[in-house]
Amino acid sequence: MEKNLRARIRDGDPEAFGELFDACARSVYNHAYRLTGDWSTAEDMVSLTFLEAWRLRERIDPEGGSLRPWLLGIATNTVRNARRAARRHAAAVNRLPRQEGVRDFADDVASRIDDAGLLASVTTALKALRRPEREVLALCVWSGLDYAAAAEALGVPVGTVRSRLSRARKKLAAAADKAVQKTAEENREPARRRAQMSDGRTPAARPIQEGNR
C-alpha cells in the first residue's frame, strides 16, 4: 500500500517534503509576517521553519490530517527564538564600547524581529495584546485554524486557546472603540475661544470656562 504524505516525510522522502513546502509555504509566510510585521524577516522565518521541520520530521505521527498546524507551531517557536536571539545580540553589542562613526546594526535587527503585531491597519489595537494572545489571534483568525488545531500548533490545551482568543478579542474591541473615539474628537471642529468682531475688537461678554471661575 502506498504511504501517505506524513509517513513519507517521516521516512525522509525529499519529494514528499517538497510537496509539503509547495502546499504550506505561503501559509507559513503569512503567519510569520503577522507575528513579525516585516516581510523580509518573514522570508527568513519561512526558511528556518522548514529547516526545523525537516530536522523534526521523525516526530511526525504517520497517521493524521493536515501538517499545516504542525508547521505553524514550528513557525511560532522559530519567531520566538529569533526574537530572543536578537535581544541577546543587541544587549551584548550595547555592552561593547561604541566607536565614533560606526553604525550599530543591532538595534535595526532587534526592531525588525521585535515588531510583532505592528501591522499598519491595526497597530494600536495589536500593541495592547500580549504575545500569547497575538499568536492565538494569528492562528485562529488570520490562518483559519480551529481551536484544536491551534492548540496542537502551540502545544497548549484547547481551553487555553479559547481563553487567550477571548481576551484578545475583548482587548481589540476596547482598543478599536478608543481609536474611533479619538478620531471623532480630533475631527471635531475646535471651539473658538475668542471670537473677533469685524473691526478687530473682542466682545466684552465671553463664556466663562470651568476651572477659571
Side-chain angles (χ1 to χ4, degrees):
M1 187 175 86
E2 184 179 354
K3 294 182 180 179
N4 61 27
L5 184 65
R6 280 173 168 263
R8 290 167 58 203
I9 293 174
R10 181 186 173 93
D11 291 344
D13 184 340
E15 292 185 4
F17 198 77
E19 293 177 22
L20 179 67
F21 181 89
D22 292 340
C24 297
R26 173 59 61 179
S27 181
V28 172
Y29 182 55
N30 289 337
H31 180 62
Y33 171 68
R34 290 159 188 152
L35 294 181
T36 64
D38 185 273
W39 289 117
S40 179
T41 302
E43 291 178 355
D44 295 337
M45 295 302 102
V46 170
S47 299
L48 293 174
T49 294
F50 279 94
L51 284 173
E52 184 68 1
W54 178 257
R55 187 180 72 83
L56 300 175
R57 66 188 182 279
E58 293 182 357
R59 299 183 185 181
I60 296 175
D61 188 340
E63 302 298 329
S66 172
L67 284 171
R68 183 165 166 261
W70 178 67
L71 282 173
L72 295 182
I74 294 176
T76 301
N77 289 330
T78 299
V79 171
R80 290 178 189 169
N81 293 337
R83 184 178 296 117
R84 284 194 292 266
R87 287 173 176 168
R88 287 196 297 268
H89 176 74
V93 172
N94 286 336
R95 289 193 294 269
L96 298 175
R98 302 267 181 151
Q99 296 182 5
E100 294 294 332
V102 178
R103 183 183 176 189
D104 180 11
F105 290 95
D107 290 339
D108 292 343
V109 174
S111 63
R112 281 180 57 196
I113 297 180
D114 202 28
D115 278 343
L118 298 182
L119 303 182
S121 61
V122 287
T123 298
T124 302
L126 288 178
K127 284 173 66 177
L129 302 182
R130 295 169 57 246
R131 176 181 55 78
E133 295 164 349
R134 286 198 301 269
E135 292 172 353
V136 168
L137 188 74
L139 289 170
C140 292
V141 177
W142 286 317
S143 294
L145 298 189
D146 59 22
Y147 293 137
E152 177 188 345
L154 296 173
V156 299
V158 173
T160 300
V161 172
R162 290 179 182 273
S163 60
R164 288 179 183 176
L165 186 59
S166 177
R167 288 196 300 269
R169 284 171 170 165
K170 289 178 180 178
K171 289 182 179 180
L172 286 176
D177 290 342
K178 185 176 180 180
V180 170
Q181 182 179 0
K182 182 179 179 181
T183 300
E185 291 175 353
E186 291 176 348
N187 291 336
R188 192 174 301 156
E189 184 177 357
R192 297 173 61 187
R193 293 183 179 179
R194 301 184 63 183
Q196 296 291 330
M197 299 181 67
S198 58
D199 60 356
R201 292 178 299 169
T202 302
R206 295 193 299 272
I208 300 176
Q209 297 181 351
E210 291 185 8
N212 293 329
R213 287 182 290 181

mmCIF file of all heavy atoms in Angstrom, residues 46-74:
data_model
loop_
_atom_site.group_PDB
_atom_site.id
_atom_site.type_symbol
_atom_site.label_atom_id
_atom_site.label_comp_id
_atom_site.label_asym_id
_atom_site.label_seq_id
_atom_site.Cartn_x
_atom_site.Cartn_y
_atom_site.Cartn_z
ATOM 1 N N VAL A 46 10.428 31.646 7.206
ATOM 2 C CA VAL A 46 9.951 30.511 6.409
ATOM 3 C C VAL A 46 11.081 29.511 6.213
ATOM 4 O O VAL A 46 10.913 28.300 6.409
ATOM 5 C CB VAL A 46 9.405 30.983 5.048
ATOM 6 C CG1 VAL A 46 9.131 29.784 4.138
ATOM 7 C CG2 VAL A 46 8.128 31.777 5.237
ATOM 8 N N SER A 47 12.248 29.997 5.824
ATOM 9 C CA SER A 47 13.391 29.107 5.617
ATOM 10 C C SER A 47 13.749 28.360 6.894
ATOM 11 O O SER A 47 13.951 27.139 6.882
ATOM 12 C CB SER A 47 14.598 29.926 5.134
ATOM 13 O OG SER A 47 14.321 30.564 3.904
ATOM 14 N N LEU A 48 13.794 29.086 8.005
ATOM 15 C CA LEU A 48 14.137 28.463 9.279
ATOM 16 C C LEU A 48 13.073 27.464 9.720
ATOM 17 O O LEU A 48 13.386 26.416 10.296
ATOM 18 C CB LEU A 48 14.329 29.542 10.348
ATOM 19 C CG LEU A 48 15.541 30.460 10.161
ATOM 20 C CD1 LEU A 48 15.517 31.574 11.203
ATOM 21 C CD2 LEU A 48 16.835 29.675 10.248
ATOM 22 N N THR A 49 11.814 27.785 9.440
ATOM 23 C CA THR A 49 10.717 26.890 9.824
ATOM 24 C C THR A 49 10.821 25.557 9.112
ATOM 25 O O THR A 49 10.698 24.485 9.731
ATOM 26 C CB THR A 49 9.356 27.545 9.509
ATOM 27 O OG1 THR A 49 9.186 28.698 10.347
ATOM 28 C CG2 THR A 49 8.215 26.575 9.745
ATOM 29 N N PHE A 50 11.072 25.574 7.814
ATOM 30 C CA PHE A 50 11.140 24.314 7.072
ATOM 31 C C PHE A 50 12.433 23.549 7.357
ATOM 32 O O PHE A 50 12.432 22.308 7.322
ATOM 33 C CB PHE A 50 10.960 24.563 5.576
ATOM 34 C CG PHE A 50 9.519 24.718 5.180
ATOM 35 C CD1 PHE A 50 8.937 25.961 5.104
ATOM 36 C CD2 PHE A 50 8.735 23.604 4.910
ATOM 37 C CE1 PHE A 50 7.595 26.108 4.767
ATOM 38 C CE2 PHE A 50 7.401 23.730 4.567
ATOM 39 C CZ PHE A 50 6.823 24.987 4.496
ATOM 40 N N LEU A 51 13.505 24.261 7.682
ATOM 41 C CA LEU A 51 14.711 23.566 8.121
ATOM 42 C C LEU A 51 14.458 22.833 9.431
ATOM 43 O O LEU A 51 14.869 21.678 9.615
ATOM 44 C CB LEU A 51 15.858 24.567 8.297
ATOM 45 C CG LEU A 51 16.520 25.085 7.022
ATOM 46 C CD1 LEU A 51 17.517 26.191 7.350
ATOM 47 C CD2 LEU A 51 17.238 23.945 6.279
ATOM 48 N N GLU A 52 13.760 23.505 10.351
ATOM 49 C CA GLU A 52 13.429 22.876 11.629
ATOM 50 C C GLU A 52 12.437 21.732 11.434
ATOM 51 O O GLU A 52 12.536 20.695 12.105
ATOM 52 C CB GLU A 52 12.857 23.932 12.585
ATOM 53 C CG GLU A 52 12.568 23.434 13.985
ATOM 54 C CD GLU A 52 13.818 23.091 14.778
ATOM 55 O OE1 GLU A 52 14.950 23.250 14.241
ATOM 56 O OE2 GLU A 52 13.683 22.666 15.941
ATOM 57 N N ALA A 53 11.495 21.905 10.522
ATOM 58 C CA ALA A 53 10.524 20.841 10.247
ATOM 59 C C ALA A 53 11.232 19.589 9.714
ATOM 60 O O ALA A 53 10.887 18.462 10.087
ATOM 61 C CB ALA A 53 9.480 21.329 9.243
ATOM 62 N N TRP A 54 12.203 19.773 8.852
ATOM 63 C CA TRP A 54 12.953 18.635 8.334
ATOM 64 C C TRP A 54 13.726 17.934 9.461
ATOM 65 O O TRP A 54 13.773 16.708 9.537
ATOM 66 C CB TRP A 54 13.913 19.089 7.238
ATOM 67 C CG TRP A 54 14.764 17.987 6.670
ATOM 68 C CD1 TRP A 54 16.079 17.732 6.937
ATOM 69 C CD2 TRP A 54 14.345 16.964 5.762
ATOM 70 N NE1 TRP A 54 16.518 16.631 6.251
ATOM 71 C CE2 TRP A 54 15.467 16.141 5.515
ATOM 72 C CE3 TRP A 54 13.134 16.669 5.128
ATOM 73 C CZ2 TRP A 54 15.414 15.042 4.664
ATOM 74 C CZ3 TRP A 54 13.082 15.573 4.283
ATOM 75 C CH2 TRP A 54 14.208 14.772 4.061
ATOM 76 N N ARG A 55 14.281 18.751 10.362
ATOM 77 C CA ARG A 55 15.031 18.175 11.483
ATOM 78 C C ARG A 55 14.121 17.370 12.416
ATOM 79 O O ARG A 55 14.539 16.359 12.982
ATOM 80 C CB ARG A 55 15.717 19.303 12.265
ATOM 81 C CG ARG A 55 16.671 18.821 13.353
ATOM 82 C CD ARG A 55 17.311 19.984 14.070
ATOM 83 N NE ARG A 55 16.358 20.666 14.940
ATOM 84 C CZ ARG A 55 16.060 20.254 16.180
ATOM 85 N NH1 ARG A 55 16.627 19.176 16.680
ATOM 86 N NH2 ARG A 55 15.195 20.943 16.902
ATOM 87 N N LEU A 56 12.878 17.820 12.542
ATOM 88 C CA LEU A 56 11.937 17.185 13.470
ATOM 89 C C LEU A 56 11.007 16.187 12.784
ATOM 90 O O LEU A 56 10.043 15.732 13.393
ATOM 91 C CB LEU A 56 11.090 18.266 14.156
ATOM 92 C CG LEU A 56 11.844 19.306 14.989
ATOM 93 C CD1 LEU A 56 10.880 20.369 15.497
ATOM 94 C CD2 LEU A 56 12.570 18.651 16.161
ATOM 95 N N ARG A 57 11.289 15.838 11.537
ATOM 96 C CA ARG A 57 10.348 15.031 10.759
ATOM 97 C C ARG A 57 10.040 13.674 11.384
ATOM 98 O O ARG A 57 8.931 13.142 11.234
ATOM 99 C CB ARG A 57 10.877 14.833 9.332
ATOM 100 C CG ARG A 57 12.152 14.006 9.238
ATOM 101 C CD ARG A 57 12.723 14.005 7.828
ATOM 102 N NE ARG A 57 13.921 13.169 7.709
ATOM 103 C CZ ARG A 57 15.141 13.561 8.065
ATOM 104 N NH1 ARG A 57 15.325 14.778 8.572
ATOM 105 N NH2 ARG A 57 16.174 12.756 7.929
ATOM 106 N N GLU A 58 11.002 13.106 12.131
ATOM 107 C CA GLU A 58 10.782 11.785 12.716
ATOM 108 C C GLU A 58 9.751 11.806 13.840
ATOM 109 O O GLU A 58 9.289 10.749 14.277
ATOM 110 C CB GLU A 58 12.110 11.222 13.230
ATOM 111 C CG GLU A 58 13.103 10.912 12.114
ATOM 112 C CD GLU A 58 14.389 10.315 12.640
ATOM 113 O OE1 GLU A 58 14.521 10.199 13.885
ATOM 114 O OE2 GLU A 58 15.269 9.970 11.816
ATOM 115 N N ARG A 59 9.403 13.005 14.329
ATOM 116 C CA ARG A 59 8.396 13.111 15.379
ATOM 117 C C ARG A 59 6.973 13.128 14.826
ATOM 118 O O ARG A 59 6.006 13.121 15.587
ATOM 119 C CB ARG A 59 8.627 14.382 16.199
ATOM 120 C CG ARG A 59 9.975 14.438 16.905
ATOM 121 C CD ARG A 59 10.078 15.690 17.751
ATOM 122 N NE ARG A 59 11.402 15.846 18.349
ATOM 123 C CZ ARG A 59 11.746 16.848 19.150
ATOM 124 N NH1 ARG A 59 10.852 17.784 19.444
ATOM 125 N NH2 ARG A 59 12.968 16.918 19.646
ATOM 126 N N ILE A 60 6.836 13.174 13.521
ATOM 127 C CA ILE A 60 5.510 13.233 12.908
ATOM 128 C C ILE A 60 4.790 11.904 13.107
ATOM 129 O O ILE A 60 5.365 10.829 12.890
ATOM 130 C CB ILE A 60 5.620 13.541 11.395
ATOM 131 C CG1 ILE A 60 6.225 14.928 11.178
ATOM 132 C CG2 ILE A 60 4.262 13.447 10.722
ATOM 133 C CD1 ILE A 60 6.482 15.241 9.704
ATOM 134 N N ASP A 61 3.531 11.996 13.496
ATOM 135 C CA ASP A 61 2.691 10.803 13.581
ATOM 136 C C ASP A 61 2.335 10.367 12.160
ATOM 137 O O ASP A 61 1.815 11.184 11.383
ATOM 138 C CB ASP A 61 1.427 11.114 14.373
ATOM 139 C CG ASP A 61 0.599 9.873 14.675
ATOM 140 O OD1 ASP A 61 0.789 8.860 13.979
ATOM 141 O OD2 ASP A 61 -0.237 9.931 15.589
ATOM 142 N N PRO A 62 2.595 9.134 11.784
ATOM 143 C CA PRO A 62 2.289 8.700 10.422
ATOM 144 C C PRO A 62 0.811 8.822 10.065
ATOM 145 O O PRO A 62 0.465 8.942 8.881
ATOM 146 C CB PRO A 62 2.740 7.236 10.405
ATOM 147 C CG PRO A 62 3.716 7.116 11.518
ATOM 148 C CD PRO A 62 3.253 8.076 12.558
ATOM 149 N N GLU A 63 -0.042 8.765 11.059
ATOM 150 C CA GLU A 63 -1.476 8.878 10.818
ATOM 151 C C GLU A 63 -1.972 10.244 11.283
ATOM 152 O O GLU A 63 -1.552 10.756 12.314
ATOM 153 C CB GLU A 63 -2.229 7.775 11.565
ATOM 154 C CG GLU A 63 -1.799 6.371 11.190
ATOM 155 C CD GLU A 63 -2.038 6.055 9.722
ATOM 156 O OE1 GLU A 63 -3.012 6.614 9.150
ATOM 157 O OE2 GLU A 63 -1.270 5.267 9.147
ATOM 158 N N GLY A 64 -2.855 10.830 10.502
ATOM 159 C CA GLY A 64 -3.405 12.131 10.875
ATOM 160 C C GLY A 64 -3.784 12.936 9.652
ATOM 161 O O GLY A 64 -3.675 12.473 8.520
ATOM 162 N N GLY A 65 -4.207 14.181 9.916
ATOM 163 C CA GLY A 65 -4.647 15.042 8.830
ATOM 164 C C GLY A 65 -3.544 15.965 8.339
ATOM 165 O O GLY A 65 -2.376 15.575 8.237
ATOM 166 N N SER A 66 -3.929 17.199 8.071
ATOM 167 C CA SER A 66 -3.002 18.186 7.520
ATOM 168 C C SER A 66 -1.846 18.462 8.480
ATOM 169 O O SER A 66 -2.006 18.472 9.701
ATOM 170 C CB SER A 66 -3.756 19.486 7.232
ATOM 171 O OG SER A 66 -2.855 20.523 6.876
ATOM 172 N N LEU A 67 -0.671 18.705 7.907
ATOM 173 C CA LEU A 67 0.506 19.061 8.694
ATOM 174 C C LEU A 67 0.632 20.570 8.869
ATOM 175 O O LEU A 67 1.604 21.048 9.459
ATOM 176 C CB LEU A 67 1.762 18.515 8.018
ATOM 177 C CG LEU A 67 1.998 17.017 8.163
ATOM 178 C CD1 LEU A 67 3.144 16.565 7.263
ATOM 179 C CD2 LEU A 67 2.302 16.659 9.616
ATOM 180 N N ARG A 68 -0.345 21.312 8.368
ATOM 181 C CA ARG A 68 -0.288 22.767 8.461
ATOM 182 C C ARG A 68 -0.229 23.260 9.907
ATOM 183 O O ARG A 68 0.601 24.129 10.220
ATOM 184 C CB ARG A 68 -1.497 23.360 7.733
ATOM 185 C CG ARG A 68 -1.536 24.880 7.673
ATOM 186 C CD ARG A 68 -2.553 25.333 6.640
ATOM 187 N NE ARG A 68 -2.863 26.735 6.751
ATOM 188 C CZ ARG A 68 -3.931 27.232 7.362
ATOM 189 N NH1 ARG A 68 -4.814 26.392 7.920
ATOM 190 N NH2 ARG A 68 -4.153 28.515 7.426
ATOM 191 N N PRO A 69 -1.058 22.758 10.832
ATOM 192 C CA PRO A 69 -0.932 23.208 12.223
ATOM 193 C C PRO A 69 0.441 22.929 12.815
ATOM 194 O O PRO A 69 0.983 23.753 13.563
ATOM 195 C CB PRO A 69 -2.023 22.411 12.952
ATOM 196 C CG PRO A 69 -3.022 22.088 11.896
ATOM 197 C CD PRO A 69 -2.218 21.857 10.660
ATOM 198 N N TRP A 70 1.017 21.781 12.471
ATOM 199 C CA TRP A 70 2.359 21.432 12.951
ATOM 200 C C TRP A 70 3.381 22.446 12.452
ATOM 201 O O TRP A 70 4.233 22.925 13.224
ATOM 202 C CB TRP A 70 2.698 20.030 12.470
ATOM 203 C CG TRP A 70 4.062 19.525 12.836
ATOM 204 C CD1 TRP A 70 4.532 19.229 14.093
ATOM 205 C CD2 TRP A 70 5.142 19.248 11.933
ATOM 206 N NE1 TRP A 70 5.823 18.784 14.026
ATOM 207 C CE2 TRP A 70 6.221 18.777 12.715
ATOM 208 C CE3 TRP A 70 5.287 19.324 10.557
ATOM 209 C CZ2 TRP A 70 7.437 18.398 12.152
ATOM 210 C CZ3 TRP A 70 6.496 18.949 9.991
ATOM 211 C CH2 TRP A 70 7.559 18.492 10.785
ATOM 212 N N LEU A 71 3.299 22.813 11.196
ATOM 213 C CA LEU A 71 4.235 23.780 10.626
ATOM 214 C C LEU A 71 4.053 25.171 11.248
ATOM 215 O O LEU A 71 5.032 25.858 11.537
ATOM 216 C CB LEU A 71 4.048 23.870 9.110
ATOM 217 C CG LEU A 71 4.649 22.745 8.278
ATOM 218 C CD1 LEU A 71 4.223 22.886 6.829
ATOM 219 C CD2 LEU A 71 6.166 22.754 8.382
ATOM 220 N N LEU A 72 2.811 25.582 11.445
ATOM 221 C CA LEU A 72 2.569 26.900 12.034
ATOM 222 C C LEU A 72 3.054 26.949 13.477
ATOM 223 O O LEU A 72 3.501 27.994 13.957
ATOM 224 C CB LEU A 72 1.084 27.251 11.954
ATOM 225 C CG LEU A 72 0.520 27.433 10.539
ATOM 226 C CD1 LEU A 72 -0.953 27.837 10.594
ATOM 227 C CD2 LEU A 72 1.322 28.471 9.754
ATOM 228 N N GLY A 73 2.971 25.819 14.175
ATOM 229 C CA GLY A 73 3.526 25.759 15.519
ATOM 230 C C GLY A 73 5.039 25.920 15.507
ATOM 231 O O GLY A 73 5.608 26.641 16.337
ATOM 232 N N ILE A 74 5.692 25.274 14.550
ATOM 233 C CA ILE A 74 7.142 25.426 14.410
ATOM 234 C C ILE A 74 7.490 26.867 14.057
ATOM 235 O O ILE A 74 8.454 27.434 14.589
ATOM 236 C CB ILE A 74 7.686 24.456 13.337
ATOM 237 C CG1 ILE A 74 7.520 23.012 13.807
ATOM 238 C CG2 ILE A 74 9.154 24.747 13.036
ATOM 239 C CD1 ILE A 74 7.942 21.978 12.778
#
